Amino acid sequence: MRSVDEITGGKRLRRMRKADWARRLVRETELTVNDLIWPIFLIEGEDQTEDIAAMPGVQRLSVDRAVKAAEEAAKLGIPAIATFPNVAMEKRDTTGSHALDADNLINRATRAIKAAVPEIGIITDAALDPFTDHGHDGILRNGIIVNDESVEQIARAAVSQAEAGADIIAPSDMMDGRIGAIRDALDEAGFQDVAIMSYATKFASACYGPYREAIGTSGLLKGDKKTYYIDPANTEEALRETEADIEEGADMVMVKPGQPYLDICRRVKETFQVPTFVYQVSGEYAMIEAAAANGWIDGERVMLESLLAFKRAGCDGILTYFAPRVAEILRSGG
Ligand code: PBG
């Protein structure tokens, strides 16, 4: 039998793993607070918080509480938050018309947060699902999510969000042509400085369940979103979607969900070299939390590892419900 030195030719990769200082010295990727975007859920009322059963540790917040959350996030150094509203049922209709209301929940939250915490970035979703009575991201006509009419509505919603002070419009609906339409609408309304983060590769995933509970669409949604989200089997199509969105004017692109789609993150980043984000979605959060609550995994370590993996895959930033928890850990040098 050959000696180990004969087998490896003297290479010993363990040399640089022997101590913490050595591991830190050769570490290739790092997670920092600058990588974090915190998605928060909104509800009506004042001084209200509501637990979300499928997302332990995450709550829906009334606007005043959301302002407090934004203050906390800014203190922790989190660069941006993303807001998602749980809209009163009586305000939802087939076309999601309340999305255009200057005083809807998203817009009121944006104005309040901008006034109190001007240093934090605000990202809003222009998709219609929180506003439709069927929970789809577009307008439903005769059983079909109609593309072009939805795009017009989504572009108008984006302008209303920009008027309220949103810094980045992040449309999550996957309608064809919506990035170009939003860019045109923003520019025509004088919002050249408002950026677009495209949910460029949003897959028809089973990992969105807890989010739908959070915004109150799980009971409404009939059928599925397979006619507009990408088939989880497809990589080439995901790259074509991303290319189209960049050509139409996206400033940043996003992959969603995260952990099951790390290959997509890597290919998007390498192919296009544009700011690439990933959404660690509600189901991913719930899986980690559930296993941790059972004592089956070390929740904190799995959380940190899941986020580091996104950095290793090439992502520039991560939307994650863990954001404040991680920021605390990073701040204390953990
Ligand atoms: C819909 C939307 C979804 C999420 C954000 N916006 C998915 C859906 O309901 O189809 C999912 C976020 C998450 O699961 O954390 N436009």
Side-chain angles (χ1 to χ4, degrees), residues 113-126:
I113 293 168
K114 265 288 145 198
V117 201
E119 67 271 28
I120 203 159
I122 301 185
I123 302 173
T124 55
D125 185 353

Side-chain angles (χ1 to χ4, degrees), residues 129 137 172 202 208 211-212 225 229 256 281-282 321:
D129 57 303
D137 297 22
S172 71
K202 181 164 182 185
Y208 307 140
Y211 166 93
R212 291 180 189 167
K225 301 192 176 185
Y229 292 176
K256 176 182 179 184
V281 301
S282 56
Y321 302 100

Side-chain angles (χ1 to χ4, degrees), residues 28-66:
E28 297 170 39
T29 42
E30 197 138 26
L31 179 70
T32 80
V33 72
N34 297 327
D35 300 317
L36 304 173
I37 296 170
W38 185 19
I40 60 170
F41 296 109
L42 306 168
I43 40 163
E44 291 293 348
E46 209 167 309
D47 199 21
Q48 297 294 311
T49 60
E50 277 174 11
D51 290 340
I52 300 157
M55 300 180 77
V58 176
Q59 293 183 314
R60 304 181 191 93
L61 308 170
S62 54
V63 169
D64 56 319
R65 290 293 196 114

Side-chain angles (χ1 to χ4, degrees), residues 7-170:
I7 290 168
T8 68
K11 280 197 206 81
R12 289 189 178 255
L13 290 167
R14 287 186 57 188
R15 255 179 223 128
M16 292 313 293
R17 295 180 200 143
K18 71 176 182 187
D20 182 59
W21 66 262
R23 292 190 292 271
R24 280 190 287 128
L25 210 52
V26 299
R27 188 158 295 149
E28 297 170 39
T29 42
E30 197 138 26
L31 179 70
T32 80
V33 72
N34 297 327
D35 300 317
L36 304 173
I37 296 170
W38 185 19
I40 60 170
F41 296 109
L42 306 168
I43 40 163
E44 291 293 348
E46 209 167 309
D47 199 21
Q48 297 294 311
T49 60
E50 277 174 11
D51 290 340
I52 300 157
M55 300 180 77
V58 176
Q59 293 183 314
R60 304 181 191 93
L61 308 170
S62 54
V63 169
D64 56 319
R65 290 293 196 114
V67 169
K68 292 253 174 344
E71 278 165 2
E72 181 199 336
K75 262 194 219 116
L76 288 165
I78 294 171
I81 56 172
T83 54
F84 296 96
N86 184 311
V87 173
M89 285 299 160
E90 66 272 14
K91 299 221 162 105
R92 305 189 194 200
D93 59 23
T94 47
T95 64
S97 60
H98 189 55
L100 309 183
D101 190 328
D103 283 321
N104 68 29
L105 191 50
I106 301 188
N107 291 336
R108 271 183 282 129
T110 300
R111 280 197 296 271
I113 293 168
K114 265 288 145 198
V117 201
E119 67 271 28
I120 203 159
I122 301 185
I123 302 173
T124 55
D125 185 353
L128 302 178
D129 57 303
F131 300 99
T132 54
D133 56 13
H134 43 71
H136 281 289
D137 297 22
I139 294 172
L140 182 65
R141 297 233 184 273
N142 306 319
I144 289 171
I145 304 301
V146 290
N147 191 84
D148 300 15
E149 203 184 331
S150 298
V151 167
E152 281 177 37
Q153 186 89 322
I154 286 161
R156 275 189 240 125
V159 171
S160 124
Q161 293 172 0
E163 280 166 350
D167 299 292
I168 299 176
I169 306 296

